[in-house]
Amino acid sequence: ALLLVATTLSAIIKPFISPTNLVMIFLLSVVITAIRYGRGPSILISVLAVLVFDFLFVPPFYTFVVSDTDYLLTFAGLLVVSLAISQLTAKASERAEAARRRATETAALYNLSRDLAVASGLEDILQAVTRNVGETFNREVIVFLPDPGKKEGLLPYSQPNHPQLDEKEVAVATWVYQHGSPAGRGTDTLPASAARYLPMRTANGITGVLGVIPSDPNSHLTPEERRLLEGFAVQAAQAI
C-alpha cells in the first residue's frame, strides 16, 4: 500500500521532481515497511521499487526496456541500498520488540514475586499464583499439591470443580509430578490433554504441578510465553 501511494504520487508529480527525490520516496517506503511489517515485506518492496522506478521514470516509459545502460548501475545501487536499509531497519525493530517482551516478562515476574512476598499462608500463595498466571496468560489455572493421604497422589488446591478436571487430567498432572517433566497440551507427552502441566520444582524436589487451560481451544503459548510460565512455576514452588 505504501509503495502504491508513493508510485501514484510520483507519477502525478513526475514532471516537477528530480529522480533523486523519487529515489528518496522509494527508500522511505522501504524504511516504513521494514519498521511496520518486518524483513520479508520490506525486501519485496525493495525489489518492487526498482521495477516501478524502471517502469514509470526511465525512458522508454511504461516498459521494462532500458535504453541507457547507465540506468542499470542506478537500479543495482537502488536495490542494494534498499535491501541494506530493510535489513538494518528490520533488525533494529526486532531488537526493540525483543526488549519490550523482556520488559513485560520482567514486570510480570516482579508482580508475582511482590504478591508472594506478602502472602501469609498457603491459601494466599495459591490465590496469588492463580491470579497472576491467569491475568498474564489469559488462561484458567489449576494447582495440584501432594495428597497427604495417598502416596504420590495429587489434590487440586485451586479451581477443583473445573468442568474439564476429570480423572484423565488428574492422571496427566500425576505423571508430571512423578517424572518432573511438562506434559499435556502443546507438549510431546499426552498432548490430547485439555491443559498444559508444569512441575513446580525447587532444589529439594517437586512441590506440585501447575496447570493452565486456555479459554480458546485455538490459543497456544508462544515459546516466550512457555519460558515465562516456567519462571512462574519456579516462583510458585519456592513460595509453597
Side-chain angles (χ1 to χ4, degrees), residues 13 15-16 19 40 48 52-53 60 64 66 87 92 100 103-104 125 131-132 134 141 172 187 194 219 222:
I13 64 177
F16 312 102
L48 291 178
V52 170
F53 185 77
F64 291 107
V66 179
Q87 291 289 337
R100 285 192 293 268
T104 301
I125 291 175
R131 182 176 64 255
N132 280 272
V141 184
V172 177
T187 70
S219 176
T222 64

Side-chain angles (χ1 to χ4, degrees), residues 2 8 21 23 33-34 41 75 98-99 121 131 139 149-151 177 187 211 213 220 237:
L2 291 171
T8 304
N21 291 332
V23 170
T33 303
F75 297 155
R131 182 176 64 255
R139 278 162 166 73
K150 186 177 180 181
K151 184 178 181 181
Y177 180 72
T187 70
I213 303 176
H220 295 276

Side-chain angles (χ1 to χ4, degrees), residues 176-182 198-210 230 233-239:
V176 172
Y177 180 72
Q178 294 173 347
H179 293 81
S181 299
L198 284 79
M200 297 191 296
R201 190 194 310 273
T202 68
N204 296 324
I206 298 175
T207 62
V209 174
L210 175 65
E230 292 174 357
V234 170
Q235 284 202 17
Q238 294 173 346

Side-chain angles (χ1 to χ4, degrees), residues 70 86-87 129 145 175 183 230:
D70 289 342
S86 67
Q87 291 289 337
V129 171
L145 296 181
W175 186 94
E230 292 174 357

Side-chain angles (χ1 to χ4, degrees), residues 118-171:
V118 299
S120 59
L122 181 60
E123 187 67 26
D124 286 349
I125 291 175
L126 294 178
Q127 289 181 1
V129 171
T130 56
R131 182 176 64 255
N132 280 272
V133 173
E135 292 175 354
T136 301
F137 300 97
N138 193 27
R139 278 162 166 73
E140 299 180 61
V141 184
I142 304 173
V143 176
F144 292 88
L145 296 181
D147 184 356
K150 186 177 180 181
K151 184 178 181 181
E152 295 188 346
L154 295 177
L155 286 176
Y157 273 72
S158 58
Q159 300 188 11
N161 298 320
H162 194 283
Q164 292 180 290
L165 188 59
D166 54 19
E167 293 182 358
K168 293 181 179 179
E169 296 298 315
V170 176

Side-chain angles (χ1 to χ4, degrees), residues 10 13-14 16-28 53 57-58 71 74 78 81-82:
S10 300
I13 64 177
K14 180 169 60 175
F16 312 102
I17 193 171
S18 67
T20 301
N21 291 332
L22 293 175
V23 170
M24 294 301 103
I25 293 175
F26 286 125
L27 293 180
L28 178 61
F53 185 77
F57 306 112
V58 175
Y71 276 109
T74 302
L78 176 59
V81 172
S82 298

